[in-house]
Structures are given as C-alpha cells and as structure tokens.
Amino acid sequence: MVYCGKASQGCQNCRTRRIKCDKKRPECSQCIRVGRKCPGYRDQLSLMFRDESSKVIQKAHAQWGSSGSPTEASGSSASASSSSSTSAWAHESPASTSTSESPPAATPLPPRGIVSTRIPKKVDLNMDQQGIQFYINRYLMNHPDSPKTRDQVATYFLNADAAQNVMIAVGLAGLSNLLGNKNMNLLARSKYVTALKQTGQLIASNDPAGLVARLRSVVTLALFEVVQNKGPKMTVGSASTHINGAVAVLRSVLPIPHAPNQGAHGVLQLLFSMFIPYQMTDTPLPPGFFETLRFCKELMNGVPESCSVDLGLAIARLLQLLGIVEHTVLTDGRPTTNNLIQQYLILDNAFDGLESRLLKAFPYTQQQGEYPAPAVFRGKWHKYHGTWGARIWNHYRWARILANQRLVKFINEYPISSTKVIPTARRTRCYITIEKLAEDTLISVPSHWHHPILDPETTQIFEPGGFGNSGALGLPSLLWHLTTAGCAPNVPPEYWEWSYNVLQTVWKEMGMQHALALSEMMEEHRSKLEKEAIKQELKVEGE
C-alpha cells in the first residue's frame, strides 16, 4: 500500500462518470438526478492509503512502451518511486527490456502495448509517507482513546490539510529517534515549522466549523515537543506554550451548546494537562488559568462532575505550596515552618474530602485476572466509565502523592516542627496513602495505554467508554504520573521496576524522548537512594 495524497471523496458512480459529486448524505444529487442507487463515500484514511499499484504499473507501461527504457522513466518519476525500486529496474538484463523489432526466435513477441519485463511488486514509502504511517500506527491507533469506527476515523481526518504536516512531523520525529536518522529528524523539524504556520493561519480564520481541527493541530504540536525534545523541563516548557494556545482557542468559543457541560469538559482536560509543565518549570500558573477554571465552574454548576473543578483548584494550591517551599529558607521549630506544614495538612484533608465526590462523579471498579505481568500490574486493572474519568483519577493520585511526599520530607528534615503539627497516627497514614495511590496509578495503566504484547481482543476489556479519539495525546501525563508513583517514598521496589519498564517500552515502541528522559530520571533517583543506603550502612558500622 502506498500513500497517495488527497483524492476524490465522491461516490463511485460520479468518479466513474468523471463528474463532480456534491457528497450529500444519504445520497448525492447526481445519483438522485439519474435515478441510480448512490454507493456512498470512501473514508479519508482509506483514501490516504489506497492501493494505487495498478495505476503506477499502467503509467510505467505507457512510458516504457513508448521509450523502451525503464531506467529513463524511473529517473523522470523519482518522486513517485523509491531508490530501491529504481535499482531493481537498473539491474534488469538488456535482453529482458529489449524492444527490438526482431527478437530471438525463442522469445515470443509480446502483444502490442505490453512490455515483457518484471514489474516490482512493492513501491517503497517516501519520508512523508513513513512519517504519517508511523504516526497512525504508533500514535493514533491502538490506544484506549483511538478512533474505533470508520466515521470516527473520517472525522479525525476532516480538514486535515493543516494537521497533516504536524502528524508527519510527530511520526518522523519518533521514527528518527529510533533509527538515529538525522536527515529524517531535520525533515521532522521542517514539517513542524510548516505546521506551526498553517495552524496559525487556521486559528486566524476563526471558522466555527474548524474548531476541532484547530484544537487537534495545536495539541499535536505540543505532542511533537514531548516526542522530539530531550530533557523533561525543556520538553514540558515548550509543550505548555501550545497547551496555553489550545485553551485560548477553546475558551474563545465557550459556551458550546451541544458539547458536554457546554464545552467545560474539553477545557478542563487542557487545563489539567498544564499542571505538570508548570510544576516542573517552577512557574506560577497564569491568572487566566484561574479565570477559565471559574468559568468552567459556572458552566458545570449543580452537576456532580463539578468536583473536577474543585480538584483543579486543590492541585493549583499544591503547586503554590511547592513553590513556597522551594523559595523559602525554613528553620526547624520556627512559626513559618510550622505554618507551612499546617497548610499541607489542610490541603491533604481537602484531597481526602474530594475522593468521595470523585467516586460519585467518576465511579470505577477494580478487576483482576490472568494477564501478562509487564502489561497489567499484579493482574489488576480498573474499569472506568469514561476516558476523562480515568484521567481525572490519575491527576488526583499524582497530586496527593506529591502532597504526602512533601509531608514525609517535613517529618524527616524538620522533626521539631513536624512533631508539633503532625500527629503520630497521621505520620503512618502518609506512608499508607502514598503506597495505595501509587499502586492505583500502576493498576490504572491499561485504561490509558496498551502494552504491545497484548492482543486486540484483550485490550478491549480494559478500555473505558466516552472516546475522544485523541490517540496518544494523553500519554505524556500518564508517564509523569508513573514516574511519580514509581519513585514515591517507601513504595515496594517492584513499583519502580514496573513503571520504569513501561517508560522503556514506550520509548522503544514510539521513539518518544519524553519517555526516555523520564526513565533516566528514575535511574538517577534509584542511584541516589542506593548511595544514601550505602552511606547509612557505613555510618552504622562506624558507630
């Protein structure tokens, strides 16, 4: 199969008659006018990867039949075939391609218009085609939130002119990372720049019908950053710029009458994806973030899902407290330290109260079965009722692990202040909470990402409903959540091992630099713990 670019989406009757098809549903006007049954229309994905081998061969026959030189034709149509196909023709023996009017007696004269030569059965993909194929196979399809039906696939590729270059860019970036192909990587960057310009033009047009295409282009630009760039802080910083753009695009059209919660649902997904970049870059959330969050609260007034807005406010408060700790000199036993620890306890109590509301709004159950250990942690998995519910729970787990992790650090580094503020029972509870949330994060993975060793039938068991057809766009956040869970204090070593193996698998399957960078962070974390353990042993032996 070869990628053939844009082609007519008209019905077969109109294409056969070579007339313009208006593509009305359920039947086009041309078929109705002549009283024919309209056969329907082809979806965009099948058009992009339709089999054009017969047409290529017909054109080759026409060219070589008149010129008598397949090598000349291959030179004039290099853009349509690969170097390997050309070399196949170049190595044909002269006898096999001769068009002499008096061939040897043992060689029967072929019928007029047909050249007796070997036609290559395969036409290799060029770089653009390889990029979009890699994107579709690794980043769009085979994920819990992938398009599942022909209509969903067709919708994904509607108005794809602006998005196609960024899809090629993401695919080439991932593929070049795995192959170490610098030329392919340069082309990926070039496609990214082109997509950036096209997306800007698409946003400037402000066409209401193109809202989904604009959002998809902007968010996929962010995905390019986490695939291409190495170094977690640089990656998330660049990606957050695009996410901010997507929030601005969606905020400008709210409320949307026929969307879930008038469009607040989609805005919240974008807002939650901003937490990790701002936490990693130690940057305060912009005022517009809180304004948009409040607007979502108004749109969701009175519905159980509004607890997701309150969770967003709690996580925003956590980021503020983490920033205060980083930029404040604390002294054990002083009021400033005592007050800061108290603020963390109040916040963790707020998280605790949110858990019951989340269970009501986004219920799930825990299941267990016999599945491959690398794909399903301890054979357990969660059954969620929707993709957004699965994601909101992991945002909650990630944030509460960080809050309790900070409390544990207070206990170890500021014993006087923590003894005054944190009850003894609460100290034990911190460790229990961390381990439980970390385990739940690992158990949730099959609902967010499918390990390649799982067969398609098995993956369907784990998938939540409510598809957004976004493919791997939610994967970067999951990888951060896994890193936090695997490196949480006092969790069993198998948590680290399992999380690390997932990151490595994503890197090796998708070429995502973000996954590689996070796995290296996990390696550094383990190395630090090992050094501290050795240091502690030496100290004990010295005493």
Side-chain angles (χ1 to χ4, degrees), residues 51-306:
D51 190 351
E52 293 283 82
S53 302
S54 60
K55 290 185 179 180
V56 172
I57 292 171
Q58 287 174 12
K59 290 180 180 180
H61 279 157
Q63 292 173 340
W64 300 332
S66 60
S67 68
S69 175
T71 54
E72 292 175 8
S74 67
S76 64
S77 59
S79 61
S81 63
S82 67
S83 59
S84 60
S85 299
T86 304
S87 64
W89 285 108
H91 286 88
E92 289 291 327
S93 63
S96 66
T97 57
S98 173
T99 57
S100 171
E101 294 181 2
S102 56
T107 305
L109 186 66
R112 184 178 178 84
I114 298 180
V115 180
S116 91
T117 186
R118 180 164 58 86
I119 304 296
K121 295 181 179 180
K122 179 182 178 182
V123 180
D124 290 340
L125 303 179
N126 63 30
M127 278 199 188
D128 280 15
Q129 296 158 2
Q130 291 178 56
I132 200 164
Q133 185 183 71
F134 191 81
Y135 177 85
I136 291 171
N137 290 340
R138 305 296 175 92
Y139 284 87
L140 177 60
M141 309 306 291
N142 306 314
H143 292 274
D145 198 27
S146 296
K148 297 295 187 297
T149 66
R150 282 182 173 270
D151 288 343
Q152 288 174 343
V153 172
T155 301
Y156 190 91
F157 283 96
L158 283 176
N159 303 317
D161 290 344
Q164 182 165 310
N165 276 314
V166 71
M167 289 190 281
I168 294 172
V170 171
L172 288 178
L175 191 55
S176 66
N177 289 338
L178 294 178
L179 299 177
N181 188 323
K182 293 183 179 180
N183 291 333
M184 186 177 284
N185 193 266
L186 288 173
L187 181 58
R189 292 174 183 271
S190 174
K191 291 290 181 182
Y192 169 79
V193 171
T194 302
L196 205 56
K197 294 177 182 177
Q198 290 177 328
T199 303
Q201 294 167 358
L202 192 63
I203 292 172
S205 70
N206 203 28
D207 177 15
L211 174 63
V212 174
R214 293 200 297 275
L215 286 173
R216 185 166 286 132
S217 294
V218 175
V219 175
T220 311
L221 286 169
L223 180 62
F224 175 85
E225 300 290 353
V226 300
V227 174
Q228 171 69 17
N229 293 328
K230 189 171 183 180
K233 288 191 177 182
M234 180 179 69
T235 294
V236 297
S238 302
S240 66
T241 303
H242 297 302
I243 298 299
N244 277 318
V247 171
V249 168
L250 194 51
R251 176 66 178 85
S252 67
V253 297
L254 289 181
I256 304 173
H258 303 295
N261 296 312
Q262 301 182 73
H265 182 101
V267 177
L268 283 173
Q269 293 200 54
L270 293 171
L271 291 177
F272 272 76
S273 67
M274 293 169 63
F275 285 130
I276 293 170
Y278 280 90
Q279 185 237 337
M280 281 303 300
T281 55
D282 193 21
T283 306
L285 290 163
F289 176 92
F290 296 96
E291 178 190 343
T292 306
L293 207 56
R294 283 193 295 270
F295 187 60
C296 289
K297 182 74 171 180
E298 293 174 11
L299 295 177
M300 301 176 73
N301 186 35
V303 300
E305 291 85 354
S306 63

Side-chain angles (χ1 to χ4, degrees), residues 2-3 16 36 39 122 129 192 244 280 339 381 388 391 430 444 455 467 513:
V2 296
Y3 174 69
T16 301
R36 288 188 176 186
K122 179 182 178 182
Q129 296 158 2
Y192 169 79
N244 277 318
M280 281 303 300
N339 180 62
W381 56 281
W388 173 232
R391 290 176 180 170
C430 285
S444 77
D455 59 76
F467 300 109
Q513 288 280 10

